[in-house]
Amino acid sequence: MLNRDDFLGARRRIADVLDPTTPQYSRTFSNYTGHEVWVKPENLQRTGAFKVRGAYNKLSRLCAGGARPGIVTASSGNHAAAVAWAAQPFGIRARVVMPEDAVQSKLDAVATYGAEIILHGKYADERKSHAREIAEADDCVYIDSTDDEDVIEGQGTCAMEILEELPDVEVIVAPVGGGGLMAGVSRAVTVAAPDVKTVAVEPTGSSSMYQSVRAGAPVEVDVQTIADGLRTRKPGELPFSYVSQCVDEYYQVSEACIVDSTLLMLQRMKLLVEPSGAVAMAGVLDGAISGSGRKVAVIATGGNIDLDDLSSLIAGGLQYEWGDSMRPE
Amino acid sequence: MLNRDDFLGARRRIADVLDPTTPQYSRTFSNYTGHEVWVKPENLQRTGAFKVRGAYNKLSRLCAGGARPGIVTASSGNHAAAVAWAAQPFGIRARVVMPEDAVQSKLDAVATYGAEIILHGKYADERKSHAREIAEADDCVYIDSTDDEDVIEGQGTCAMEILEELPDVEVIVAPVGGGGLMAGVSRAVTVAAPDVKTVAVEPTGSSSMYQSVRAGAPVEVDVQTIADGLRTRKPGELPFSYVSQCVDEYYQVSEACIVDSTLLMLQRMKLLVEPSGAVAMAGVLDGAISGSGRKVAVIATGGNIDLDDLSSLIAGGLQYEWGDSMRPE
């Protein structure tokens, strides 16, 4: 399994191209929860999501020594943009299998970075199979968005940064979709700061990782959530293995809580996050962290939401009665 | 006039209570403009706007040595919240004259901080006269939002921070409403880094400072702009004096450009700014900075916009054809 030096190596690699995302303290959310709440704003990361950490780390290892393999990946969103972006400095051919009903803005982003787009199917498993077939036929490298140790190593750099930026952090909270981020974060914390707790938050409507951990092996579940980045029907073996061994606690949040968290982070922290990016905070606001006064780092994973979709969320308004301390300040 | 030591003193005072706002680099806006564009995100400042710098500096001076004078101010928005917030640690009575048609969220914010609200009139001059009358009748201190040297000194700390955070900055761009921020920023730059240029941006529909500078004295103009924080009919003597002596260049932006800048900062930088807070960036995007490759710091002054109003802006969409480099990245 990955060790501390692996994550430190990944940190050095990504430091060449990625800007730091400085944790931001939220007095509002701290007052409301009784903890000291910091946000790691990966929505401010290049391409608007943490995914570039894993993608760039992967390609950096693949292209070491001047190799220039063609690559193929499959994604509906942030991983697609991340791979396309990361491929640019290496001058390699990148192809991305995206769903036939992909959002225009995501297609635009991938095209802007110069990757070739192949439209195929609607579900992740269809896309991935197709991408693997292309890779095999063309002697290219298939890059999975989560079931890949180099990708997991890259995502772990997010936790390594938090441990440096907030040296006395006690809890790190992240969302789980495919589990690549959670695998990297929980493993990095286990090997670099074993006293720090990790909490994994999933939508109640898409909790394949929690169900798998309970079952002792990856299981398939139905998924139904607004958090489009977390719609994973069945986790991969590798992220499952890491998460089940390294994560301390699990928590599930409702759809209403995810929407409210998205709106509250916008209104109170002035940060635009996509629903998937608000899931970890939704857990914290809903009471995932026991006790009081703990120093908590919450990973806001991405900010790629169409403004029209944001308008729809605003029109729906807040769903909960949040109490006085959540009033405008 | 204020000198370097004055601004350094203000910096020390506000450092007790205010969080740093770390400048954020925008690759999108840099590519688009041909400059190196950084945003000083004062929307992430306490109370959601830079105004707390001046308000806290003022009250800190007033209450030096344990004095506890009652205070009265007048404002429709961010200055009201800033004074109410800053008064709390000093335990002094704070009253704020706000317009009869004040936005509910602004009233809520001021009330949350424990200030007393007095509703009076609709225009700034009516509010200010009423606040001055109260101060005189009750032997309290009236605090003007811009026409006050301690407030200007506090606002100047924003520039002092930029000079430290971006040591090789070449241009600092800020919006002008009443001129308190622009006075502090331009004076701080003049005394601390005279080679750095300052650019003042106003809405075309509310350009009282530029008209006054042209006329050689404060003049009154009609104001009509979506940038509600910049609706000043006539600048005060003190900010006029500073601005006219210290600002290097002036620029005006259209309403469409302000709205687009608000939406683009949200979509591309993932930052929620209010229209007034997007005015400086609107100037930069519209071509205010000549030449190319200059390192530019743009002050995003605040982020207090009701989400419903934001939805209306989104529904209107972008007004300009911004070209390929402004497409999603």
Side-chain angles (χ1 to χ4, degrees):
Chain A
M1 289 183 92
L2 292 164
N3 63 37
R4 187 162 177 275
D5 283 344
D6 295 326
F7 290 114
L8 290 174
R11 263 220 75 183
R12 280 192 299 273
R13 276 187 288 278
I14 68 162
D16 293 343
V17 296
L18 297 183
D19 304 325
T21 56
T22 309
Q24 292 179 20
Y25 177 64
S26 168
R27 211 161 305 234
T28 303
F29 296 154
S30 296
N31 287 343
Y32 183 75
T33 60
H35 296 292
E36 191 185 324
V37 179
W38 294 77
V39 170
K40 176 75 170 166
E42 290 290 298
N43 59 327
L44 306 181
Q45 185 57 268
R46 292 307 322 279
T47 75
F50 75 93
K51 293 276 189 183
V52 285
R53 297 176 179 273
Y56 187 82
N57 188 57
K58 175 72 185 179
L59 297 191
S60 180
R61 280 178 166 286
L62 266 183
C63 300
R68 293 182 58 204
I71 56 169
V72 187
T73 192
S75 163
S76 64
N78 288 334
H79 174 67
V83 168
W85 178 85
Q88 288 181 304
F90 299 106
I92 57 180
R93 180 181 184 195
R95 281 175 287 180
V96 184
V97 181
M98 300 184 72
E100 287 162 0
D101 57 353
V103 178
Q104 190 58 44
S105 62
K106 310 256 181 187
L107 293 168
D108 287 346
V110 173
T112 299
Y113 298 135
E116 297 163 44
I117 294 167
I118 299 151
L119 297 178
H120 183 86
K122 288 193 178 174
Y123 298 104
D125 39 6
E126 296 174 277
R127 286 196 294 280
K128 290 191 176 192
S129 308
H130 193 60
R132 280 200 192 88
E133 284 162 20
I134 294 171
E136 203 156 313
D138 286 6
D139 199 21
C140 286
V141 179
Y142 167 73
I143 300 179
D144 197 86
S145 60
T146 60
D147 206 0
D148 181 307
E149 200 141 48
D150 295 340
V151 170
I152 290 172
E153 184 185 74
Q155 317 303 29
T157 60
C158 187
M160 299 302 279
E161 284 179 18
I162 291 171
L163 295 174
E164 264 182 40
E165 292 157 342
L166 303 170
D168 48 354
V169 68
E170 296 170 82
V171 185
I172 297 179
V173 189
V176 185
L181 175 67
M182 198 72 242
V185 164
S186 63
R187 179 63 185 171
V189 167
T190 299
V191 295
D195 290 344
V196 174
K197 298 287 172 213
T198 50
V199 178
V201 185
E202 285 177 302
T204 305
S206 182
S207 61
S208 61
M209 186 61 82
Y210 178 66
Q211 304 302 336
S212 298
V213 170
R214 275 186 56 169
V219 296
E220 187 165 319
V221 304
D222 289 335
V223 300
Q224 180 78 40
T225 176
I226 191 174
D228 59 334
L230 309 180
R231 289 179 195 144
T232 300
R233 294 198 281 198
K234 183 182 177 183
E237 287 291 348
L238 199 58
F240 168 77
S241 170
Y242 273 107
V243 168
S244 60
Q245 289 176 71
C246 300
V247 165
D248 292 298
E249 289 174 33
Y250 297 85
Y251 199 83
Q252 273 107 54
V253 289
S254 69
E255 295 298 292
C257 196
I258 296 169
V259 171
D260 280 14
S261 180
T262 305
L263 293 176
L264 288 165
M265 291 183 77
L266 182 65
Q267 186 178 52
R268 310 306 298 278
M269 294 195 72
K270 316 302 177 190
L271 292 176
L272 179 62
V273 297
E274 57 190 277
S276 305
V279 161
M281 183 63 85
V284 173
L285 296 178
D286 197 47
I289 314 298
S290 55
S292 71
R294 302 176 82 184
K295 187 161 186 168
V296 181
V298 184
I299 302 177
T301 50
N304 295 321
I305 175 173
D306 283 355
L307 295 189
D308 290 336
D309 294 334
L310 177 65
S311 273
S312 302
L313 298 188
I314 293 170
L318 294 184
Q319 308 292 310
Y320 284 179
E321 285 296 333
W322 288 95
D324 271 359
S325 62
M326 211 67 125
R327 292 173 69 201
E329 109 163 60
Chain B
M1 289 183 92
L2 293 164
N3 62 38
R4 188 163 176 275
D5 283 343
D6 295 325
F7 290 113
L8 289 173
R11 264 221 74 184
R12 280 192 297 275
R13 276 187 290 277
I14 68 162
D16 294 343
V17 296
L18 297 183
D19 305 325
T21 55
T22 309
Q24 292 178 21
Y25 176 64
S26 168
R27 210 161 306 232
T28 303
F29 295 155
S30 296
N31 287 343
Y32 183 75
T33 60
H35 297 291
E36 191 185 323
V37 179
W38 293 78
V39 170
K40 176 74 171 168
E42 290 290 299
N43 59 326
L44 306 180
Q45 185 57 268
R46 294 305 323 279
T47 75
F50 74 93
K51 291 278 189 183
V52 285
R53 296 176 179 274
Y56 186 82
N57 188 58
K58 174 72 185 180
L59 296 191
S60 180
R61 280 178 167 288
L62 264 183
C63 300
R68 292 182 61 202
I71 56 169
V72 187
T73 192
S75 163
S76 64
N78 289 333
H79 175 68
V83 167
W85 179 85
Q88 288 181 303
F90 299 107
I92 56 180
R93 180 181 184 195
R95 281 176 285 181
V96 184
V97 181
M98 299 183 73
E100 286 162 2
D101 58 353
V103 178
Q104 190 58 44
S105 62
K106 309 256 180 187
L107 292 168
D108 287 346
V110 172
T112 299
Y113 298 135
E116 297 163 43
I117 294 167
I118 298 152
L119 298 179
H120 184 87
K122 288 192 177 176
Y123 297 104
D125 40 6
E126 295 174 279
R127 287 196 294 280
K128 290 190 175 191
S129 308
H130 193 60
R132 280 200 191 90
E133 284 163 19
I134 294 171
E136 202 156 315
D138 286 7
D139 199 20
C140 286
V141 179
Y142 167 74
I143 300 179
D144 197 87
S145 60
T146 59
D147 206 1
D148 181 308
E149 199 140 49
D150 294 341
V151 170
I152 290 172
E153 183 185 75
Q155 317 302 31
T157 60
C158 187
M160 299 302 279
E161 285 179 19
I162 292 172
L163 295 174
E164 263 182 39
E165 293 158 341
L166 303 170
D168 48 355
V169 68
E170 297 169 82
V171 185
I172 297 179
V173 189
V176 185
L181 175 67
M182 198 71 241
V185 164
S186 62
R187 179 63 184 172
V189 167
T190 299
V191 295
D195 290 344
V196 174
K197 297 286 172 214
T198 50
V199 178
V201 185
E202 285 178 301
T204 305
S206 181
S207 61
S208 61
M209 186 62 82
Y210 177 65
Q211 303 302 336
S212 298
V213 169
R214 276 186 55 171
V219 296
E220 187 165 320
V221 304
D222 288 336
V223 299
Q224 180 79 39
T225 177
I226 191 173
D228 58 334
L230 308 181
R231 288 179 195 143
T232 300
R233 294 199 281 198
K234 183 181 177 184
E237 288 289 347
L238 200 57
F240 167 77
S241 170
Y242 274 107
V243 168
S244 59
Q245 288 175 73
C246 300
V247 165
D248 292 298
E249 290 174 34
Y250 297 84
Y251 199 83
Q252 272 107 54
V253 289
S254 69
E255 295 298 292
C257 195
I258 295 169
V259 170
D260 280 14
S261 180
T262 305
L263 293 175
L264 288 166
M265 291 184 77
L266 182 66
Q267 186 179 53
R268 309 306 299 276
M269 295 196 71
K270 317 302 179 190
L271 292 176
L272 180 62
V273 297
E274 57 190 279
S276 304
V279 162
M281 183 63 84
V284 172
L285 295 178
D286 198 47
I289 314 298
S290 55
S292 72
R294 302 176 83 184
K295 187 159 186 169
V296 181
V298 184
I299 302 177
T301 50
N304 295 321
I305 174 173
D306 283 355
L307 294 189
D308 290 336
D309 293 333
L310 178 65
S311 274
S312 303
L313 297 189
I314 293 170
L318 295 184
Q319 309 292 311
Y320 285 178
E321 285 297 332
W322 288 96
D324 271 0
S325 62
M326 210 66 125
R327 292 173 68 201
E329 105 164 64

